[in-house]
Amino acid sequence: MTATFERLSALLVKDYKLAPEALTPDAPLEGLGIDSLGLAELLFNVEDEFRVTLPPEPVPLETLADVVDFIDGLVAVQHGGAAPVSRAP
Amino acid sequence: MRRVAVTGLGVVSPLGCSPGEAFQNARAGRSGVRRLEGAFAHRLAAPLAATAPFSGDAHFDPPKLRMLDRVSQFALVAARQAVADAGACPGDADPSRAGVFVGTGMGGTQTSDDGYKVLYGEASDRIKPFTVLMGMHNAPAAWIGIEHDFRGPNLTYATACSSSAVAIGEAWLRVASGALDRAIAGGAEAPLSFGSLKAWEALHTLAAIDAADPSTSCKPFSGNRSGMVLGEGAAMLVLEPWDTAVARGAFIHGEVLGCGLSTDTGHITRPDVAGQVAAMHAALQSAGVDAAEVDAINAHGTGTQANDGVETAALKAVFGARAYRMPVSATKAMHGHLLGATGALECVLSLLAMQHAVALPTLHLQQPDPACDLDYVPNAAREGVALRTMLSNSFAFGGSNAVLVLRRAS
């Protein structure tokens, strides 16, 4: 479990009321009730949590591990490594 | 034209979150109006509202709930109740011949407020991705269609305070004409966001707070009335052809006999006797009912100076001397003004009033007004009143008048 995965999981438990045991890296987003529209909203919240800026084009992500890798990629480019603290309220 | 039966009822309201609870509270003369609490209450001239005892958490999974403005939550829960009540619906009907007709005056007001707060208040350029989906006026109807697989027309009516009466009338017309075999019809409104409350306050139509007892602040037809109180909620009906309802052994709550629409063209807010009379006449004509057959009225009865006097004059013009002998109930004193949902809620209460032979009360009628001299069933319900046919009046800003003609089932 990476730090990014832990932070993403914490967000999903707190804001989406998802059960922690359901949050495994290979868990499909659809199975968590997050479809392509829901993913757009999740990534909006990811922007706040990880202080990153999303690219304008849609991103095809299917599992939690995909989301974690996507976040890590954005953090590496935009912050040069570790994600800064959340700006979420 | 086919006869149209009401086989399902659903209610989320300040008087309770089921048709039975709302009706019993209305029958008992309980007010759902209360002093409004919350962060912005101190910035309101009269912090009053009729709030529904409702939490979306009890009805929706969190990912779904994140997509639903409160107005859609109300609509979905009321529609679920109505469909469950109707039974055997919609599976026994062709989904393409099943339609959804919903009235809402203001749509997703909290979503709009939240968006403005971020954009203007916080000077942020980031607005939530669901803002359009939650705020759009047809979201409540669309979600109902999705949840119940009603694939025919899915229509939203925004005629302010007559929205849901219009929606029910439009659904009645389609079922009666044979165009549809099933309809969910009603209205939903969630107007208690800060922005909405301030906008209504600025229009000087809201009641002053009754300091002694805030729950009595809305006083329809009373000489000391000072305005309306905003309420929130939804009410939905399932409509189907009378013959198929009988054939499948459904419980029939009552019958929609007709609907009349008219438009005042004189002023954007000022009610007009002639327009209201025209709507009542059109309703009676569409129902094939003589004025002498009408036993009682659910009045629009907002508690504003302008409406209540004009409506009284319109009732006299339509019913003549009979107007003085029929019960005229203004239930908004209890449930507040649900704007786009109010016609549907009052339709449900009227159907249940006929079923239970009760004339519902007009609460807080404290002082006589020479301009309002009909029998408003003051302050307590009247039991044991045989009611077979009722009108439910809804008169809106914009001059959009809608009147439903309803009949007891038996």
Side-chain angles (χ1 to χ4, degrees):
Chain A
M1 300 286 180
T2 67
T4 302
F5 183 85
E6 295 294 341
R7 280 173 70 177
L8 179 64
S9 297
L11 184 154
L12 290 167
V13 169
K14 175 173 169 281
D15 292 344
Y16 290 70
K17 308 290 187 282
L18 292 175
E21 57 272 20
L23 304 178
T24 58
D26 60 351
L29 296 174
E30 291 265 4
L32 299 172
I34 301 169
D35 62 11
S36 59
L37 193 57
L39 177 61
E41 201 231 4
L42 174 61
L43 293 178
F44 178 86
N45 295 323
V46 159
E47 281 192 308
D48 283 339
E49 175 62 29
F50 294 91
R51 305 196 72 160
V52 292
T53 302
L54 296 178
E57 65 273 13
V59 193
L61 303 172
E62 294 182 0
T63 66
L64 282 185
D66 291 344
V67 179
V68 168
D69 289 346
F70 177 65
I71 294 168
D72 284 342
L74 292 175
V75 168
V77 171
Q78 296 175 18
H79 297 290
V85 296
S86 169
R87 69 181 168 207
Chain B
M1 295 286 268
R2 305 189 291 186
R3 293 177 70 188
V4 176
V6 180
T7 54
L9 301 177
V11 165
V12 172
S13 82
L15 295 177
C17 294
S18 73
E21 188 184 2
F23 174 70
Q24 291 304 341
N25 280 323
R27 186 182 201 168
R30 298 191 182 101
S31 174
V33 173
R34 51 185 59 88
R35 181 183 288 278
L36 197 59
E37 309 291 345
F40 54 75
H42 70 285
R43 293 174 62 190
L44 294 167
L48 284 171
T51 53
F54 176 93
S55 170
D57 295 333
H59 301 280
F60 303 98
D61 293 335
K64 177 77 173 282
L65 189 58
R66 297 174 72 83
M67 300 177 73
L68 301 174
D69 186 275
R70 194 164 168 84
V71 70
S72 292
Q73 298 172 35
F74 291 155
L76 276 167
V77 171
R80 283 177 189 173
Q81 291 175 16
V83 169
D85 183 31
C89 179
D92 60 337
D94 175 355
S96 69
R97 292 177 56 79
V100 180
F101 302 79
V102 175
T104 184
M106 303 189 70
T109 57
Q110 189 62 54
T111 297
S112 300
D113 263 29
D114 291 346
Y116 295 143
K117 179 168 173 281
V118 167
L119 288 177
Y120 301 123
E122 299 169 5
S124 170
D125 293 328
R126 298 173 70 250
I127 193 162
K128 288 185 178 177
F130 289 167
T131 299
V132 170
L133 304 182
M134 295 171 73
M136 63 190 194
H137 275 53
N138 66 324
W143 283 115
I144 291 171
I146 290 166
E147 186 159 304
H148 299 286
D149 194 32
F150 275 38
R151 301 186 191 184
N154 189 295
L155 300 176
T156 296
Y157 300 86
T159 59
C161 309
S162 62
S163 299
S164 53
V166 170
I168 292 167
E170 293 281 282
W172 162 75
L173 197 57
R174 282 169 173 78
V175 175
S177 72
L180 294 179
D181 295 327
R182 206 62 106 237
I184 297 172
E189 202 76 84
L192 303 182
S193 71
F194 184 44
S196 163
L197 285 160
K198 288 303 286 186
W200 281 99
E201 178 183 296
L203 203 51
H204 298 285
T205 53
L206 298 183
I209 197 162
D210 187 317
D213 181 356
S215 75
T216 69
S217 299
C218 181
K219 309 173 196 293
F221 299 110
S222 186
N224 60 344
R225 65 187 182 275
S226 61
M228 64 193 213
V229 173
L230 290 178
E232 62 173 0
M236 296 290 165
L237 288 74
V238 171
L239 304 183
E240 63 183 274
W242 183 274
D243 290 346
T244 60
V246 171
R248 71 182 183 88
F251 180 81
I252 299 176
H253 293 283
E255 183 173 1
V256 179
L257 291 178
C259 175
L261 307 180
S262 76
T263 306
D264 307 334
T265 54
H267 193 273
I268 192 75
T269 61
R270 191 184 308 133
D272 174 51
V273 173
Q276 297 186 4
V277 167
M280 285 188 266
H281 278 150
L284 293 170
Q285 187 176 14
S286 76
V289 165
D290 190 87
E293 295 179 66
V294 177
D295 300 308
I297 308 289
N298 186 295
H300 188 53
T302 55
T304 61
Q305 277 296 331
N307 175 81
D308 295 359
V310 167
E311 186 171 11
T312 298
L315 287 168
K316 291 177 189 174
V318 172
F319 295 100
R322 185 177 171 77
Y324 292 88
R325 299 195 300 272
M326 60 171 60
V328 177
S329 304
T331 52
K332 286 186 180 75
M334 297 181 279
H335 54 65
H337 196 335
L338 278 68
L339 306 176
T342 209
L345 177 60
E346 291 163 34
C347 175
V348 170
L349 292 175
S350 298
L351 289 167
L352 293 173
M354 287 190 284
Q355 232 176 74
H356 293 87
V358 178
L360 293 174
T362 299
L363 292 195
H364 323 312
L365 215 169
Q366 299 161 337
Q367 295 178 11
D369 175 352
C372 300
D373 55 354
L374 301 178
D375 173 9
Y376 304 107
V377 199
N379 301 317
R382 196 171 299 152
E383 300 282 341
V385 186
L387 303 174
R388 181 165 177 261
T389 306
M390 285 185 69
L391 298 191
S392 183
N393 285 347
S394 296
F395 306 131
F397 282 175
S400 296
N401 304 309
V403 175
L404 296 171
V405 189
L406 308 168
R407 180 161 282 173
R408 196 180 64 208
S410 54

